[in-house]
Amino acid sequence: NTLKQVSFINLYIQALVLLIIFDFGTYFGHRMVHDPDYYKYHKSHHNVRNTVAISLIDIDMTDFFVNNLPILILPFLFSNPIINNAMCYEIWIIGFAFIFAQGFIIHSDLYLISSRYSLGLFWGDTVISHSLHHSKNKGYYSFVSPQIWDCICQTQS
């Protein structure tokens, strides 16, 4: 579907579902690659103790797919015959770009106050939390704020 073919409420629902699935999937995927059995796929990403933008893409392909699988399969979930509504391609591309942009921001140690309030996904000092995650190599697995899954799973250490 294109933007012209989808109602505003459907676009809103698709964007919201994209963020929810991304938040849920990346938290648990990121936490999984910190498990000793799977850390070999994530280790190169933590070669730097301070966050730098390039470390976002310094990952093994397995790590990439584990952390991004929710977003990669989302169009297929929306094309389910039960839902009977294909995902809007533009929402998926814009969401994917936005997620990667946020990834670069939190890996750049950029504490952009104006971005935190205008984008809404920078609440809860995600940049600072992810810097702590890289320096300690544990806890703070969330990429999106508010860091709901870190709070629920008590991984704010």
Side-chain angles (χ1 to χ4, degrees):
N1 285 346
T2 65
L3 282 172
K4 293 178 184 176
Q5 297 171 313
V6 181
S7 70
F8 176 78
I9 191 73
N10 197 313
L11 290 174
Y12 180 79
I13 289 169
Q14 288 185 22
L16 187 61
V17 167
L18 182 138
L19 288 173
I20 290 168
I21 288 177
F22 170 76
D23 188 29
F24 177 84
T26 53
Y27 172 82
F28 287 100
H30 189 202
R31 189 171 172 179
M32 183 181 89
V33 294
H34 275 271
D35 181 275
D37 293 334
Y38 303 106
Y39 189 68
K40 62 185 173 190
Y41 302 113
H42 191 61
K43 187 175 182 176
S44 66
H45 178 71
H46 279 274
N47 283 338
V48 292
R49 289 291 179 210
N50 296 323
T51 50
V52 292
I54 199 70
S55 70
L56 178 68
I57 58 173
D58 184 13
I59 59 174
D60 183 277
M61 286 308 292
T62 303
D63 190 16
F64 174 83
F65 282 108
V66 166
N67 279 298
N68 292 291
L69 188 63
I71 298 304
L72 297 173
I73 65 167
L74 194 59
F76 300 105
L77 295 176
F78 269 99
S79 63
N80 185 323
I82 296 169
I83 298 172
N84 196 24
N85 190 9
M87 181 158 201
C88 179
Y89 178 73
E90 291 90 344
I91 291 292
W92 185 75
I93 291 296
I94 291 167
F96 207 66
F98 181 76
I99 287 162
F100 272 96
Q102 181 181 340
F104 277 108
I105 289 171
I106 67 170
H107 283 91
S108 296
D109 261 349
L110 294 175
Y111 190 72
L112 304 174
I113 293 171
S114 60
S115 293
R116 286 178 54 224
Y117 294 114
S118 63
L119 297 177
L121 296 178
F122 290 85
W123 308 324
D125 301 328
T126 308
V127 173
I128 293 169
S129 298
H130 206 72
S131 292
L132 287 170
H133 168 77
H134 270 262
S135 65
K136 295 180 177 184
N137 201 14
K138 66 177 186 174
Y140 296 111
Y141 301 110
S142 292
F143 285 93
V144 180
S145 287
Q147 294 165 306
I148 294 168
W149 296 108
D150 276 320
C151 184
I152 291 171
C153 298
Q154 298 179 350
T155 52
Q156 296 169 310
S157 59

